[in-house]
Amino acid sequence: MRYLVIGFFLIALSLCLSCESFVSLDPPATQTSTQIVFSNESTATSVVVGNYIDMFNKGALTGISVTNGLYADELRLHSQVELVEYYNNALTSQNPSVLGLWSELFSYVYSANSIIEGLEKASGFDLSVKRQLIGEAHFIRALSNFYLVNYWGRVPLVTTIDYRINLNLHKVDVSMVYSSVVQDLVVAEELLYDDYSFFNGDRGRPNVWAAKALLARVYLYLGDWSNAEKYATEIINRADLFNLADDLDDVFLVNSKEAIWQLKSVYDMGVNTTDGETFILSAVPSRFSLSPTFVDDFDEGDQRKVKWVGVYEESGLRYYYPYKYKIKSGVPMPPITEALVIFRLAEQYLIRAESRANLSNFQGAVADLDILRKRAGVDLLVDSGVLDDTADLLKLIYRERKFELFTEFGHRWFDLKRSGESVDILSQIKGTYQKTDDLYPIPLNELNADPKLNPQNDGY
Amino acid sequence: MNFSLLNPGRGLVVQAPPCPIAPPPPTANISRHARRSCLSEGGVKTWLMRISLAYSILLASSIQLLAHSINGQTIDKETVTIELENDNLVALVKKIEDQSTLRFIYLPEQLNKYGLVSLSKAKRTIKETLDLALGGTTLRYEQNGRYVVLSEKKENAAASTAPAVVSPVLSASLVKGKVTDKDGLAMAGVNIVIKGTTTGTTTDGEGGYAILAEANDVLIFSFIGYKTMEVEVGARTIVNMALELDVAALKVVEVVDAGYWKVTEKERTGNIVSIKAADIEGQPVYSPMQAMQGRLSGVYISQNTGLPGSGFDILVRGQNSLRSNFVNNGNLPLYVIDGVPYSSQTLESKRVSSMTNYGNPLNNINPSDIESISILKDADATAIYGSRGANGVVLINTKKGRSGRTKLDANYYQGWGRVSRKMNLLNTDQYLEMRNEAFNNVQMTPADFEYDVNGRWGGQRDTDWQNELIGGTSRINNAQVSLSGGSSQTQFIVSGGYYRESTVFPGDNDFQRGSFHFNLSNRSLNDRLKFSVVSSYVVDLSGLPGADFTGPALTMAPNSPLLVDENGDLNWENTQTPNPLAALLISNKSTTSNNVNNIQFDYQLLKGLVLKANGGYNIIRFENTKAVPVKAFSPSSGITQGYSEFQEATTDNWIVEPQLEFSKVGNNGRLTALLGGTWQQKVSRQKLAVAEGFQDDSALENPAAAGRYTVSEYTYSKYRYTAFFARANYVYRDRYILNATARRDGSSRFGPDRRFGNFGAIGAAWIFSDEVFARLFQSFLSMGKIRGSYGITGNDQIGDYGYLDSYTYMSNSYMGVKGLTASRMPNPDYSWETNKKLEGALELGFFQNRVALSVSYYRNQSSNQLLGYTLPSLTGFSSVQNNLPATVRNSGWEFEVNYNVISNDKLTWNTSFNMTIPRNTIVDFPGLKFSSYVNTYDVGKSTFVKKVYHSLGVNPETGLYNFKDFDDDGSVSYQNDTRFLKEVGQDYYGGLQNSFIYRGFELSFLVQFVRQTAWSYIRYFSMPGLYGNQPTNILARWSNSGESSNVQRYSPTYDATYFAFYDFSSSDAAIVDASFIRLKNISLSYKISSDFLRRIKLDSFRAYAQAQNLLTITKYVGLDPESRGFSLPPLQVFTVGMQIGL
């Protein structure tokens, strides 16, 4: 009996020596292996939409309406320590929200690369879906690189998910980043669906028109006027898909005909858009409000001031806020009726007007501007005599952009930089803006983690 | 050497050996001398040494210390089957003993007088057997309880006493008695030896003994840790004895828990330090962590905040791993509670509890249930824990039942805690002066929202918010009841406890703990099978506010409006900063239940071969409900609905460890060997959910009433671990000790090809004081030991599944499609962090060990660093799990001194001192320059060193802080002008404890000292001139050109002044001396004498008063040099209580 027990015990011990299998575990139920994810249509789609969920939830990219608004001349700061650096144009490399934006944008680049790499290897599902997903990945990567280059100038171009390769990357010239953005968009144009029917008319997923809209914007930023005009025209010509909303209050509704791509709320109720949530005032502002000087600058009778600027009054004081989005959230929890518009038709008119002005098609430019001015209820330019000077017309175009696109995805500051007026205009208002403030500092954490990102941008 | 003194498996009768190796020549002249000389040539002295050897053997096999139970058998009922062929009577007796539980008491010489006997094989009663065998002798037998006494019949004894052979033996008679301790409790296992002989016995479970002795014999009573007593038998047949504790001797013979085995303090080869229940009982603490502070060399524990249930940092022999942040900390020791590995990390999630610090897993252990905490430090002690032992092992053993009469023990104390130090902050005049001067400096006027300075708040109010927010007194109640007792076979303890502590904050939030502990041990009649069950269940209920009010208390402007208006509602006039008291409206309730169960079987297969099996199960559950009502938000926030968050987390852990223990005692040495295996599994789950859209705030805690309920996070992870381990220990001639351990380990945390690793260590000790040459010093040197060890342990403290390439579902959907996101940056190629530990130590005892001194040197080299290697976010992730070729060395000296200054009948004074001097260096870090750690670590420097600017003080012209421009490029930048200049860490630390016992009074106090540097207040406070109060130190600011000052000028905005301030807070000037000396604990108790108690029918009564953190001496500017910053300092606690035994 004793020997039996000892023997049993020794067998048990020797089992331990070969108990390799005891410590090899299956993936937990909460994690799905990458191989499986990309060999399946629905899970691959889930990876793609994961990016939009992150955009909605992480909020650094969608938050540029606020940060750019403060950094430029749209918003007035009341109190919020973290935002003071934006308002004073005194960002430091340790600013957490600068790091947030940087890493959020690069996380989309990673995700896009993983989708491209994963799906190119995968087989066995519907080709058109696969093309759309790869197209979306290229679009997402282009969008991210577009913002990276506009905030930081020279940045590394990341095209793989292998960190060992990526750790050796150096920053590349701005033109190289742009050409990669263009390349990605051209590929996306090839691959993406060309209308919204695949999503039952829902405008929440980018299709070929989103790619074209970004291309038009990219060419505009690059000063490639004819390409900018070409792409804007292609979009404007699709009246079956896109129309300007007659009522300014309808522009930002879910699936508005003016929207080319909008970011949908990830909820069924409650927060519709982060812009509505953060801008709309229901008390004396403790963070930021629309700058009174900005509001005063609107033309007399501009319906955009009437409909898109909200007013909160308390003890004789008036505070303004952007009111493009009407729903703040709160009680009762509203159903989702608004969505954050990232590309819309009005911008394409402005892109085309600017391109035409630069190409000396003054009539065409004025016509495009007047379409927007008419909707806004202000005097038409065509009635105010001949406009045949590019510079004069550009001034009007930038002014139109200011009031049409205010606090929308950071347009204002990018426009000021593009026009070369950022220092002139902003230093008048705040006195602190310098040329080097046209670029953000590379976050210190990143410089520490990757010394190859040196040198830091000037002025930091 | 003669080891037959020990009678393994039959510990009761330590009989005089019949000289088994070399029987004495037959002689008619049996005398006392002859009786002794048969032992050895060495005389009394050597003989005494053997006795002590015998004791230590007994200790080594401490299981044998406890005696047998009384058995109901009688010699005329109990049967034995004996066959004897020409054998002597001693052999016969042994054979009977083998088959019976009865024990014989006899003098071998008396039996050996007679010739050989033969018995045919048959089943007979013992009486029949004895009658047959003793038929031809003049011996008689008599049963006395479980003893059978064999002696010469009186008349024959007289007759055989020929004048030439007068033997004192013949007058031997049976002496019985009971041994108790000072409190009258029976002591089992006490050794009783007749002085000058090897004749002896041990007491049984009831303290009883019986021995054959003569009138002029002197009985020596001895027991581990008790003073040895001698008494002459005289005419008595009953000799009772009360033994007294021997504080000085206690240390040397103390049995130390080494986890898989036990070892005496004397024969210990590894470095193990421990505290006992007595040390813990003197302290009014809620966590075992607090109880250990300052008492253990090589163990640095700091308390993060003074909130009950809060976090602690623990480092055993320094920082080995470069992973040192909270979520990824590779420096946590392994906790093992009653043999069950216990999670080193808490289940609390920052997202819900939103406290600035986290709790500590040991907060879920009731300190009152702890018998001992041992910390294993060197390779010899830790290598048997393989891949988990790199940072030391903390072994916690809970209280076990003791045999004796059933005892009821009740203990209650009540206490009061408060913040003992306040910072000197600006008053309203000074504050407004600062703010106005700041605006003047930049010629700006305060903005609309700057209520503190634009006149809206005015300058009338002057509040020191420390009084309002952290100035309260917390109440502490602690009640413990235990019931324990048992027979020599079965012992039990059942205890329950309740602890409550409120806060020093406003409001009536509190922390409560209920606990239940149970232990049952049993040993079979034949001593072969033993088992014990331990179970404890502890529930912590925390209702603490989800915020620490210390930050607001230190930074709110002194002219801020009152936080509560006259109606008792929150005053939101103060919109510049959130109203801190809003946190009191948020209900934040958490429940942590911790259930530890362990069952242990020992079965003696053969003599010297024991099969052991240890199984444990631990489940920890954490639940948190945080309900945030609308009224907790400022009306200006626009928030019109409350919300709530729910967290549930569980960790299940089981372990099975079969073991085989072998021991053999040879002529010159003792061998102990252990073989075993481990299978362990840990499963952790966590669920976070958010509920929104409630109709009204009264239903916030009911998720079913929510408009929307979202599971925002669900995590699951499984960890498995298996091992095969072995240990061999050889003690040669009682003074040369070798201990070897080895372990082969597998952990699921590594990639498929990297899961197994080998670890091992060797330890040796030489007790040179037992050598012949040491006799020269024996007048003062009572113990001298040199020991050393070397070995390799590992570290697998990383997250699970780091090798897995996978995606995880997100909590949200987009257009009806659930999102998936990459789980991590996978890497299948990493493996153990290895830690090579070297140790050498000298242990000395002087003057009968009244002075004990130990000095240890250690050097641990941790390499193959397992790092969440920081990645730049351009890679898509912030880190990847990897092995870095970096090597970190922790070396240091540890000193321990124990001095039993006075020990007499009236007064005992014991003083003990420990000190640790840790050093830490990054020895090697190939590729550091190109790694993400280039700004964090530097080769040749400590891991605690910080890369900072070198401050040149305030420029008298500009009034701004200046920094050294290392690269002389005319501007100061982080990239170019910071250097690794100063460390933030401990230079040395330790404690000095004194205890005095005078009659019933006992006074003890502990002084803790730490020499360290830390970030100064500058790091925590905002820039002087901005909104927010400041320490008065900043009043010495620069204000006029040409002025020299240590504080730069004020500024109300984020201008150049701010950048200078910001850099200053990351400069060497912001790292300051934070050393402190703290009267950590003082305890005074009075025990009423037993005479009086007997009259009032009480067993024991003790009244006591204790104080914690009574006095702190430090130069550090801040509330506390240990917690620092904006967290509540460890409280000063006073308690009074009493303990009653029934």
Side-chain angles (χ1 to χ4, degrees), chain A residues 96-203:
Chain A
S97 72
V98 171
L99 173 64
L101 182 61
W102 168 281
S103 43
E104 189 180 318
L105 289 171
F106 274 115
S107 76
Y108 302 139
V109 174
Y110 173 88
S111 179
N113 287 330
S114 73
I115 294 161
I116 295 166
E117 284 178 28
L119 284 180
E120 274 169 1
K121 278 183 251 163
S123 57
F125 67 84
D126 189 83
L127 192 65
S128 69
V129 175
K130 189 172 167 181
R131 282 167 60 89
Q132 165 70 18
L133 296 179
I134 296 175
E136 278 183 78
H138 281 279
F139 173 79
I140 290 166
R141 190 165 72 182
L143 185 80
S144 308
N145 280 325
F146 171 77
Y147 282 107
L148 283 168
V149 76
N150 273 288
Y151 281 106
W152 285 280
R154 287 162 50 83
V155 287
L157 261 182
V158 182
T159 53
T160 168
I161 56 170
D162 189 335
Y163 72 91
R164 283 161 294 199
I165 294 170
N166 293 335
L167 278 176
N168 290 311
L169 294 179
H170 289 271
K171 292 192 286 191
V172 299
D173 284 340
V174 169
S175 61
M176 278 194 57
V177 183
Y178 267 116
S179 74
S180 138
V181 170
V182 171
Q183 265 176 40
D184 271 333
L185 291 173
V186 170
V187 173
E189 237 189 314
E190 282 293 308
L191 297 173
L192 292 169
Y193 295 141
D194 65 355
D195 62 17
Y196 298 99
S197 58
F198 285 90
F199 310 118
N200 302 319
D202 204 316
R203 301 192 175 213

Side-chain angles (χ1 to χ4, degrees), chain B residues 247 906-909 995-1003:
Chain B
V247 183
K906 283 180 183 156
L907 177 67
T908 311
W909 174 18
S995 64
F996 303 88
I997 302 171
Y998 177 74
R999 295 183 187 275
F1001 288 98
E1002 184 165 352
L1003 171 73

Side-chain angles (χ1 to χ4, degrees), chain B residues 460-502:
Chain B
Q460 295 305 306
R461 275 181 299 262
D462 189 354
T463 315
D464 184 346
W465 291 105
Q466 295 177 94
N467 296 332
E468 309 299 317
L469 294 174
I470 56 170
T473 300
S474 72
R475 289 288 295 271
I476 300 159
N477 306 84
N478 182 40
Q480 307 286 336
V481 183
S482 77
L483 189 70
S484 65
S487 65
S488 56
Q489 261 173 285
T490 306
Q491 299 93 35
F492 72 94
I493 184 168
V494 187
S495 66
Y498 173 77
Y499 180 90
R500 175 182 180 273
E501 181 172 345
S502 64

Side-chain angles (χ1 to χ4, degrees), chain A residues 2-3 5-6 9-10 12-13 15-17 19-35 37-38 42-47 49-50 52-54 57 76-79 81 84-85 88 90-92 94 99 102-103 106-107 110 114-115 156 158 161 163-164 166-167 169 199 202-205 261-271 282-284 286 319 328-333 444 446-454 456 460, chain B residues 448-449 451 528 575-576 603-606 609 611-612 635-641 654 658-660 675-681 692-694 707-708 710 714-724 744 746-748 752 755-756 801 803-810 812-815 817-827 829 869-877 880-882 929-935 973-975 1053-1054 1058-1059 1062 1066:
Chain A
R2 279 173 192 168
Y3 298 100
V5 176
I6 297 171
F9 183 77
L10 290 175
L13 276 183
L15 276 177
C16 171
L17 291 169
C19 50
E20 202 70 59
S21 63
F22 181 76
V23 285
S24 15
L25 301 173
D26 293 331
T30 49
Q31 298 181 27
T32 315
S33 90
T34 299
Q35 227 180 339
V37 164
F38 286 112
S42 72
T43 46
T45 308
S46 287
V47 176
V49 304
Y52 311 132
I53 293 171
D54 274 346
N57 283 330
R76 177 165 74 132
L77 185 72
H78 291 265
S79 163
V81 174
V84 168
E85 291 187 8
N88 291 348
L91 290 176
T92 59
Q94 284 109 317
L99 173 64
W102 168 281
S103 43
F106 274 115
S107 76
Y110 173 88
S114 73
I115 294 161
V158 182
I161 56 170
Y163 72 91
R164 283 161 294 199
N166 293 335
L167 278 176
L169 294 179
F199 310 118
D202 204 316
R203 301 192 175 213
R205 294 268 296 272
W261 177 43
Q262 45 185 202
L263 189 65
K264 310 291 286 282
S265 172
V266 299
Y267 306 125
D268 309 319
M269 292 190 294
V271 175
S282 56
V284 174
S286 58
Y319 301 94
K328 185 179 176 69
S329 174
V331 181
M333 298 266 280
L444 183 66
E446 297 298 295
L447 284 174
N448 288 349
D450 186 359
K452 293 193 180 66
L453 290 174
N454 279 308
Q456 173 64 282
Y460 298 101
Chain B
D448 284 357
F449 61 84
Y451 301 145
R528 276 241 168 85
T575 51
Q576 188 163 359
Y603 181 71
Q604 190 189 342
L605 292 166
L606 302 163
L609 190 65
L611 175 67
K612 294 178 166 188
S636 69
S637 68
I639 294 169
T640 54
Q641 255 188 349
W654 60 253
Q659 291 157 57
L660 199 56
L675 281 179
T678 303
W679 285 266
Q680 189 195 334
Q681 174 178 292
E692 292 160 286
F694 289 92
R708 184 170 77 227
T710 318
Y714 179 77
T715 54
Y716 173 96
S717 68
K718 191 186 265 185
Y719 166 58
R720 274 192 176 171
Y721 170 87
T722 183
F724 171 71
R744 179 168 169 80
S747 162
S748 66
R755 291 196 173 120
F756 282 82
Y801 306 115
Y803 53 86
L804 197 67
D805 185 7
S806 69
Y807 277 75
T808 305
Y809 274 101
M810 301 165 90
N812 295 117
S813 309
Y814 188 81
M815 287 167 63
V817 180
K818 206 80 184 150
L820 270 172
T821 188
S823 312
R824 67 185 67 76
M825 183 69 83
N827 176 9
D829 294 329
Y869 181 81
T870 307
L871 291 175
S873 15
L874 65 89
T875 59
F877 284 89
V880 62
Q881 195 61 254
N882 213 343
K929 234 178 156 177
F930 305 102
S931 82
S932 55
Y933 291 93
V934 64
N935 289 320
S973 70
Y974 183 85
Q975 290 299 301
T1053 186
Y1054 294 80
Y1058 179 74
F1059 292 117
Y1062 198 94
S1066 315

